[in-house]
Amino acid sequence: MRVSHELIIPEEGFPFKLFLFEGNLGNYRREKHWHRSIEIFAVRKGELNFYIDSHKWKMKAGEFLIVNSNEVHSIDALLPNETLVLQIPLKLFRNYYTEQEFIWFTHDARENDENLMAMLGTMYDDYCGRQCGYEMKVMSLFYAVVYCLVNHYRLTEKNERKISQNKRMERLSAITSYMKENYSNSLSLQEVAEKFDYSPNYLSRMFQKYAGITFKQYLQSIRLEYAILDMKRGEYSLTEIAIRNGFSGSKGFARAFQGKYGMLPSQFRKNLKLQKR
């Protein structure tokens, strides 16, 4: 099972990212992934199945879930839904860490759930409405949400297991970020291992244990994601796209693409053209 590291980029002019969940039409699955930001999923309509580690939450309208930094999670949205997603960079909580770069929020229900849910809904509506002065209204609600998180949902007792797990995922996040910055180069397991002072065998085991796939599979998945972006732009030939994104040539690119998406790049590009008509 593929597990990916997601990079969160805040909205321009705001210290957060706020949007509607992309699986709103239903029949959608977001595979296992993690990121350094704190994330809140708030269901306004419909329902979601949320998975963190071995736990499953069946979320319905009026409920939300806090996802901690470096917590591996996945989502099933079988039915149409309206779910707000608020992503907050971890550094915003630096004054409230219980350990170095560590803060943890509970997944359990609290007395403030209804109030926090209402603030998230109003914040999103004002953000979309963009009436005069909306920025100040949205920011005031955002800081009220952060205040509520820190004072009513933050766990202050030490949990050595979670602290240790967080440190491992932090190291893996640094490695995957480096791979995303250099995916178009001829990266090797040996090179990346030396960059982060690991042996190749140790780094290989780290990917297998915490990402669930091999180093090579993870690197290939990054290259395929960026190759798809190039195909959507329509500026390059398939051979050029292959070389631009770190593949040895068009044959290797086609083989990897078909293995992941069940079709050749040429068919994918043809489908894109049909969609634009």
Side-chain angles (χ1 to χ4, degrees):
M1 176 65 71
R2 177 189 167 206
V3 185
S4 63
H5 173 226
E6 180 181 346
L7 182 63
I8 305 300
I9 302 175
E11 304 285 356
E12 185 175 354
F14 293 99
F16 58 81
K17 186 173 182 179
L18 179 63
F19 56 97
L20 276 182
F21 176 53
E22 67 270 21
N24 62 303
L25 298 178
N27 194 27
Y28 177 90
R29 176 168 177 77
R30 179 69 165 93
E31 297 292 350
K32 288 183 177 181
H33 64 288
W34 83 95
H35 39 69
R36 298 192 74 237
S37 297
I38 305 301
E39 188 171 49
I40 305 177
F41 276 77
V43 182
R44 300 179 90 179
K45 298 177 183 177
E47 60 183 45
L48 294 177
N49 290 326
F50 216 97
Y51 305 87
I52 300 178
D53 294 329
S54 59
H55 300 283
K56 174 183 177 180
W57 281 267
K58 190 174 182 65
M59 300 171 59
K60 59 181 185 296
E63 297 179 340
F64 67 86
L65 188 68
I66 304 170
V67 183
N68 290 289
S69 172
N70 292 326
E71 230 177 0
V72 177
H73 54 286
S74 60
I75 310 155
D76 280 337
L78 303 178
L79 301 174
N81 65 90
E82 181 181 297
T83 303
L84 308 183
V85 184
L86 175 63
Q87 295 170 332
I88 310 172
L90 184 64
K91 64 182 180 181
L92 211 69
F93 297 96
R94 63 164 57 95
N95 293 331
Y96 306 97
Y97 292 154
T98 53
E99 291 288 329
Q100 185 177 4
E101 292 201 27
F102 183 79
I103 189 170
W104 202 261
F105 298 98
T106 179
H107 301 304
D108 298 329
R110 289 288 192 270
E111 292 181 0
N112 293 276
D113 283 4
E114 187 175 341
N115 179 46
L116 184 54
M117 188 74 191
M119 286 193 293
L120 290 168
T122 303
M123 180 181 169
Y124 179 76
D125 292 339
D126 289 337
Y127 177 77
C128 293
R130 297 180 182 268
Q131 296 184 2
C132 179
Y134 83 97
E135 299 95 339
M136 292 181 285
K137 177 83 176 292
V138 168
M139 284 303 298
S140 68
L141 286 164
F142 171 69
Y143 282 115
V145 167
V146 172
Y147 173 86
C148 192
L149 289 176
V150 168
N151 285 279
H152 301 297
Y153 294 87
R154 181 174 59 122
L155 299 178
T156 56
E157 65 272 16
K158 283 189 177 182
N159 186 317
E160 296 298 336
R161 184 183 67 82
K162 291 189 181 298
I163 291 172
S164 178
Q165 178 184 354
N166 182 69
K167 288 180 179 178
R168 289 194 296 267
M169 297 306 291
E170 279 291 308
R171 291 196 295 267
L172 193 55
S173 293
I175 293 167
T176 55
S177 293
Y178 176 81
M179 292 170 68
K180 287 184 177 181
E181 292 168 0
N182 297 277
Y183 69 94
S184 60
N185 300 327
S186 181
L187 283 182
S188 67
L189 177 65
Q190 177 78 34
E191 175 189 343
V192 177
E194 290 178 356
K195 171 73 177 178
F196 290 90
D197 295 323
Y198 293 129
S199 71
N201 285 338
Y202 182 84
L203 182 58
S204 178
R205 290 196 302 271
M206 182 185 291
F207 266 90
Q208 288 280 14
K209 184 173 182 179
Y210 300 113
I213 57 175
T214 66
F215 171 89
K216 183 178 180 180
Q217 288 171 328
Y218 193 87
L219 178 59
Q220 184 170 278
S221 70
I222 295 173
R223 289 170 170 167
L224 288 172
E225 287 175 4
Y226 282 97
I228 282 181
L229 291 178
D230 276 347
M231 282 194 282
K232 289 180 177 179
R233 294 189 188 102
E235 299 176 6
Y236 306 100
S237 70
L238 293 178
T239 299
E240 289 172 326
I241 289 173
I243 301 301
R244 276 173 50 84
N245 291 285
F247 291 95
S248 59
S250 57
K251 288 184 178 179
F253 172 46
R255 186 166 54 250
F257 195 95
Q258 187 170 34
K260 181 174 181 180
Y261 300 109
M263 68 178 76
L264 292 170
S266 56
Q267 183 61 51
F268 181 85
R269 171 163 275 180
K270 182 179 179 180
N271 292 345
L272 286 176
K273 291 180 180 178
L274 290 174
Q275 292 172 9
K276 292 179 180 179
R277 289 181 181 176

